[in-house]
Amino acid sequence: MRVALTGHRVLGRKFSPGALERALCGLIAEGADTFYCGMALGFDSLCCEYLLKLRREHPVKVVACIPCADQASRYSPRAKAKYDALLAACDERIILHEKYENGCMFERNRCMVDNCDVLLAYLESERGGTYYTVNYAKKKGKRIVFL
């Protein structure tokens, strides 16, 4: 089973790291073996970290879905170092564009949904990329697990 991940860059007060870990473990117990991560700051990075830890005990594959090769070019030095380390540890990389292009983030999100069986979503706001991705997954008839 293939799982795509989507969530906000800023994690709100309602966000629970424990609930995220339980959701990931639950999906793995259901047979999830491939996880598509958009590699953005916030939710994506945290998912990637947890999955890389869980990979020590479970046979899961982490696929970095990168909208553009220069995705982290505007990150702070600390965030960029973390991004580079996470990216290096992923099992596979899908890079959609060499440089940022208008709409490439949404293209990345559609790519992840198109290739998944289940979408794991942390959605607190009815706007932005996460909201768009959840609605796209609904239109595609994908199962959605909300945190």
Side-chain angles (χ1 to χ4, degrees):
M1 176 171 51
R2 298 161 302 163
V3 178
L5 308 161
T6 190
H8 303 296
R9 285 183 177 85
V10 177
L11 303 175
R13 292 182 193 172
K14 294 180 183 180
F15 180 77
S16 166
L20 172 59
E21 191 168 7
R22 286 189 299 277
L24 292 170
C25 288
L27 288 165
I28 291 169
E30 286 182 39
D33 59 2
T34 303
F35 290 84
Y36 293 95
C37 183
M39 302 304 292
L41 297 173
F43 184 78
D44 290 1
S45 296
L46 190 56
C47 285
C48 190
E49 283 182 61
Y50 281 172
L51 287 165
L52 293 172
K53 289 176 187 173
L54 289 169
R55 190 173 66 182
R56 296 177 194 153
E57 298 176 19
H58 304 280
V60 297
K61 178 177 169 182
V62 181
V63 179
C65 294
I66 304 163
C68 51
D70 59 349
Q71 178 177 13
S73 65
R74 294 188 179 182
Y75 289 4
S76 70
R78 182 178 175 187
K80 174 116 173 46
K82 181 178 177 180
Y83 173 89
D84 290 342
L86 291 174
L87 187 59
C90 288
D91 298 293
E92 185 180 329
R93 289 155 207 80
I94 298 170
I95 302 172
L96 299 176
H97 298 279
E98 283 304 309
K99 295 193 177 276
Y100 176 84
E101 293 183 21
N102 194 24
C104 69
M105 303 295 179
F106 292 117
E107 183 180 348
R108 180 256 335 259
N109 296 345
R110 289 189 303 271
C111 176
M112 292 193 312
V113 169
D114 289 343
N115 286 290
C116 80
D117 302 301
V118 177
L119 178 68
L120 176 62
Y122 168 63
L123 177 66
E124 281 195 354
S125 175
E126 293 186 354
R127 62 177 207 256
T130 300
Y131 182 65
Y132 171 88
T133 305
V134 167
N135 282 326
Y136 183 75
K138 286 178 181 177
K139 288 177 188 171
K140 292 290 188 172
K142 302 291 181 165
R143 175 181 163 211
I144 304 171
V145 175
F146 289 99
L147 290 182

